[in-house]
Amino acid sequence: MAGNHPQNTHMQGGAPGQGGPNQNFTVPLTGRGGRGGRFGPGARHSVEKPKDQKKALLRLIHYFKWEKKRILILMVCVVATSLATILAPRFQSEAIDCITIGDYSHLGRFLLIMLGIYGIQSLFTLFQGRFSALLSQSIVKRMRNDLFDRIVNLPIKYLDSHPHGDIMSRMTNDIENVSHTISMSLSSLVSGSLTLLGTAFMMFYLCTPLAFLACTTAILTVVATKFLSGAMRKFYRKRQVLLGQLNSTVEEMVTGYKTVVAYNQEDAVIEEFNDTSNELTKVGIIAEILGGSMGPVMNAINNVSFVIIAAFGGYFALKGMITVGVISAFIIYAKQFGRPIDELAMIYGQIQTALAGAERVFAIMDETSEDKSGEQSMDDSKGIITFENVNFSYVEGIPVLKDFNLEVKAGQKVALVGATGSGKTTVVNLLMRFYDIDSGEIKIDGVNIMDISCDNLRNNTAIVLQDTILFADTIRNNLKYAREDITDAEMEEAAKMCHCHNMILRMESGYDTPLAHAGFNLSQGQRQLLSIARAFLAKPKILILDEATSSVDTRTEKHIQDAMVKLMENRTSLIIAHRLSTIQDADTIVVMDQGRIVEMGNHEELLNAKGKYYDLYMTQFAGEAT
């Protein structure tokens, strides 16, 4: 079980410049990948366009096929609401004409009809909101589940070579954009189109000349919307970039606060923050002014439309071409006619952004899942590991391992040492099938690991890393992550063997003590001891220790080493270490350099040979960096 831990994804191999994973990637702090995304009301104007709009739309529509019933009900609600919106002014016109000519016998009937129409409109608007929310959340839930399922089954290579912040952004920001568009824009798109067409029909039905005059303002609405949207988009995008820079400055200052204080850089940090903040303020003011101007401009254009209707409508009424009630209806229709134009322009941008987000989500879904195939099992394995003529490179043409040959006997403790980038962790990555080799073979008990299923291989392998990952759960459940069926007695026995039982009992709730995210409420040494106990409970055939003591003090290191001795008993163990004092009792020490084995032997033999290992050992004890 331990081999399946999420911490495995952080393993790195290869030196800088050799094409190792997680190399030259930065989590973006602006736009989608970081905190600069979707701030403020103007964020909706920052339109991102998909590369292939048609393909993204068809993929997204595919998710609607399970929601036919809800879509049908939603469309009924939209049509009913739109019809009520279109018909209400017409009956209001009739009611006003009844008052104008003094025919009160029909007035009550028209008022009751209007009351019924507005009641229906309110009721169906309520249902429309409800079914829009149900539809969007149901579709997004299915998309989110599909995406998470694919992420969990992606090869380690993909996660190592893509910014984690970008992947998380697709799960959050991009899917949220899709959800918002389905819940708000879908019904608005249909109702806006129906309202626009229905309103135009009613206006031309009532008075064609006045309808043409009223529609002239629609041209002004389109021009103004296009001009203001373009200007707003420019400044909102600039504000997004500056927000990202500001958040980046704050994040760096908070995470590196000790360094800032230690070097007396408080004034420099404040100056950098103020410069960005001042620029953000200027851009923000312009963006808000432009954003706030949309409403007044639209109102001004509508007012022009009202003036035209009032002037020409009055003239036509005097000529007997229309009634006063028709003028009243035209004023309402003119307002209804302008609003959908503005809404449809905004909805188009939202749909573009949602399709771009959906396209990014589908891009991950289209990635090939990790090949976990294999019919062989290693449940009865002795733990004999063989590397035969293995060649591997993270980036084509830049080899990390070159003709690598190594045999680890059952129950043997083998230490891998060498400078950073020599390929030590790469050996582990290949053994765990995190990456596939370019050529050669890796065998366990003579069986090629490609013939062993990944699940079985990792169930029989445990890893203890330098950067221990614990989950925001109780200590008990963190230990059970190794194996679900372990008993409390087994857990306590493992904790005692790994020197962490007393430590756990001293905590507030013992084994039921909740841990903070990543176990940050524990010291590094405490996290390591719990990680070793978890690996112990996995009962692995093969054990991998990757820099397990490099971040702890000497006293804690002694406890961890004692725990590791217990853990390594009767198990084949691979130990990666920079601190050579921790591996002196290894059965075999393998010295690596630039992807090759340059020396091999026990501690005394390698010191006497006075080769690469001797240089590394003497350098460490001379106090120099290796």
Side-chain angles (χ1 to χ4, degrees):
M1 286 289 291
N4 289 328
H5 292 175
Q7 66 234 45
N8 298 343
T9 63
H10 300 291
M11 299 180 69
Q12 298 179 7
Q18 286 187 309
N22 286 337
Q23 187 174 310
N24 298 328
F25 287 104
T26 304
V27 176
L29 286 167
T30 59
R32 299 191 161 275
R35 300 180 182 178
R38 297 194 70 195
F39 276 81
R44 67 180 188 272
H45 296 288
S46 184
V47 178
E48 184 180 356
K49 294 184 178 181
K51 296 177 182 177
D52 190 336
Q53 178 176 312
K54 183 179 179 180
K55 182 179 179 181
L57 181 60
L58 291 175
R59 287 283 297 273
L60 188 57
I61 290 174
H62 175 74
Y63 280 89
F64 284 77
K65 71 178 184 179
W66 291 282
E67 305 296 333
K68 293 177 182 178
K69 184 176 180 181
R70 284 187 178 136
I71 293 172
L72 179 62
I73 296 174
L74 178 60
M75 290 301 103
V76 170
C77 293
V78 169
V79 170
T81 304
S82 300
L83 286 175
T85 302
I86 295 167
L87 293 175
R90 179 72 181 97
F91 287 100
Q92 178 181 308
S93 169
E94 296 290 348
I96 291 174
D97 285 340
C98 286
I99 296 172
T100 303
I101 63 176
D103 181 11
Y104 296 103
S105 60
H106 295 89
L107 179 60
R109 180 165 59 90
F110 288 126
L111 291 178
L112 286 174
I113 292 174
M114 288 175 60
L115 183 62
I117 288 175
Y118 284 125
I120 291 172
Q121 184 184 35
S122 300
L123 184 63
F124 278 99
T125 299
L126 178 64
F127 287 150
Q128 178 180 320
R130 175 183 174 84
F131 281 98
S132 291
L134 289 172
L135 178 65
S136 68
Q137 291 306 312
S138 180
I139 289 174
V140 166
K141 176 186 175 182
R142 189 170 283 109
M143 286 185 66
R144 190 182 291 118
N145 290 345
D146 288 349
L147 177 59
F148 189 77
D149 180 69
R150 181 47 54 94
I151 290 174
V152 168
N153 289 287
L154 283 174
I156 299 295
K157 179 179 180 180
Y158 182 91
L159 295 173
D160 277 343
S161 59
H162 289 77
H164 293 178
D166 178 66
I167 296 173
M168 293 170 64
S169 174
R170 300 185 194 212
M171 176 63 76
T172 54
N173 288 355
D174 290 320
I175 287 198
E176 183 61 29
N177 279 336
V178 174
S179 172
H180 177 77
T181 300
I182 295 173
S183 64
M184 302 298 294
S185 302
L186 181 63
S187 56
S188 296
L189 178 65
V190 176
S191 65
S193 301
L194 290 176
T195 302
L196 191 63
L197 293 174
T199 300
F201 173 80
M202 292 301 296
M203 290 170 69
F204 279 96
Y205 173 76
L206 292 172
C207 181
T208 300
L210 192 57
F212 275 116
L213 290 169
C215 286
T216 56
T217 57
I219 299 173
L220 291 176
T221 300
V222 172
V223 173
T225 300
K226 184 175 181 180
F227 174 78
L228 288 175
S229 296
M232 282 189 290
R233 191 175 301 123
K234 173 184 175 182
F235 282 96
Y236 280 125
R237 282 177 175 171
K238 189 172 182 180
R239 188 175 72 167
Q240 296 292 85
V241 172
L242 291 171
L243 270 171
Q245 294 176 1
L246 197 70
N247 283 312
S248 176
T249 301
V250 174
E251 185 176 23
E252 287 182 349
M253 192 280 293
V254 171
T255 56
Y257 183 68
K258 289 183 180 179
T259 304
V260 172
V261 173
Y263 285 92
N264 291 320
Q265 292 297 313
E266 294 94 332
D267 292 340
V269 170
I270 291 172
E271 183 179 356
E272 180 184 358
F273 178 87
N274 287 341
D275 288 343
T276 307
S277 180
N278 291 338
E279 182 67 19
L280 177 61
T281 301
K282 294 176 184 176
V283 173
I285 290 173
I286 298 175
E288 291 301 326
I289 289 174
L290 288 172
S293 66
M294 178 69 81
V297 169
M298 293 299 107
N299 286 334
I301 294 174
N302 286 335
N303 290 335
V304 171
S305 177
F306 297 156
V307 170
I308 292 174
I309 292 170
F312 286 92
Y315 175 76
F316 292 153
L318 291 174
K319 292 291 186 178
M321 296 171 59
I322 58 175
T323 64
V324 174
V326 171
I327 298 175
S328 171
F330 254 91
I331 291 175
I332 297 174
Y333 282 136
K335 186 176 182 180
Q336 287 183 183
F337 189 76
R339 188 179 69 248
I341 294 175
D342 181 42
E343 286 181 353
L344 290 173
M346 300 294 293
I347 290 169
Y348 177 76
Q350 290 174 357
I351 291 174
Q352 291 289 305
T353 300
L355 289 177
E359 191 174 56
R360 285 159 49 83
V361 170
F362 295 143
I364 293 185
M365 290 186 187
D366 290 338
E367 290 291 331
T368 304
S369 295
E370 182 182 17
D371 179 12
K372 295 185 177 182
S373 62
E375 298 181 357
Q376 298 293 324
S377 169
M378 59 175 290
D379 290 340
D380 299 323
S381 170
K382 297 177 182 178
I384 302 172
I385 305 171
T386 308
F387 289 79
E388 296 181 357
N389 305 316
V390 172
N391 292 281
F392 174 75
S393 56
Y394 291 106
V395 178
E396 187 176 354
I398 308 177
V400 178
L401 290 184
K402 309 165 189 174
D403 196 26
F404 184 82
N405 291 275
L406 176 66
E407 182 176 356
V408 182
K409 297 177 181 179
Q412 194 176 28
K413 290 187 291 184
V414 174
L416 303 176
V417 301
T420 300
S422 59
K424 303 184 299 297
T425 301
T426 299
V427 172
V428 174
N429 285 341
L430 298 180
L431 177 61
M432 294 294 297
R433 284 186 64 179
F434 293 156
Y435 289 81
D436 293 334
I437 60 177
D438 297 336
S439 63
E441 283 187 313
I442 303 175
K443 298 178 180 178
I444 296 177
D445 288 5
V447 178
N448 193 318
I449 62 169
M450 298 304 295
D451 296 326
I452 303 172
S453 72
C454 278
D455 290 341
N456 187 265
L457 173 65
R458 294 166 188 172
N459 282 342
N460 287 283
T461 308
I463 299 181
V464 180
L465 298 173
Q466 174 185 353
D467 298 323
T468 303
I469 298 297
L470 298 174
F471 302 98
D473 205 335
T474 62
I475 292 176
R476 185 184 307 278
N477 288 337
N478 269 279
L479 293 178
K480 279 192 172 184
Y481 202 74
R483 211 176 73 247
E484 286 289 338
D485 60 347
I486 59 175
T487 64
D488 290 346
E490 287 179 303
M491 187 181 299
E492 291 181 11
E493 180 63 25
K496 290 175 182 177
M497 297 281 286
C498 298
H499 299 276
C500 59
H501 177 66
N502 291 333
M503 172 197 79
I504 295 172
L505 292 182
R506 287 195 297 269
M507 295 183 182
E508 182 180 355
S509 302
Y511 283 85
D512 294 313
T513 301
L515 300 181
H517 173 69
F520 285 149
N521 54 338
L522 301 178
S523 70
Q524 178 68 31
Q526 290 173 324
R527 294 200 295 271
Q528 285 289 18
L529 288 172
L530 288 177
S531 178
I532 292 171
R534 182 169 61 188
F536 193 95
L537 288 166
K539 297 180 179 179
K541 301 290 191 302
I542 297 172
L543 176 66
I544 299 169
L545 304 172
D546 190 353
E547 300 286 355
T549 65
S550 62
S551 299
V552 297
D553 60 86
T554 305
R555 183 177 179 181
T556 305
E557 180 184 10
K558 179 64 169 60
H559 289 307
I560 293 176
Q561 283 182 332
D562 292 341
M564 288 194 301
V565 169
K566 293 288 185 182
L567 181 59
M568 287 187 289
E569 285 181 357
N570 303 317
R571 290 189 175 94
T572 303
S573 303
L574 287 178
I575 309 165
I576 298 174
H578 279 297
R579 199 179 293 182
L580 301 184
S581 60
T582 64
I583 46 92
Q584 292 181 17
D585 62 340
D587 297 319
T588 301
I589 298 173
V590 177
V591 184
M592 297 183 63
D593 185 40
Q594 297 183 2
R596 298 180 186 274
I597 297 176
V598 294
E599 284 184 313
M600 188 184 302
N602 61 36
H603 176 69
E604 294 297 332
E605 291 172 348
L606 293 176
L607 283 183
N608 292 334
K610 293 190 176 181
K612 189 74 174 179
Y613 180 81
Y614 176 83
D615 293 339
L616 289 170
Y617 187 83
M618 297 307 295
T619 301
Q620 280 198 10
F621 279 86
E624 299 177 13
T626 58

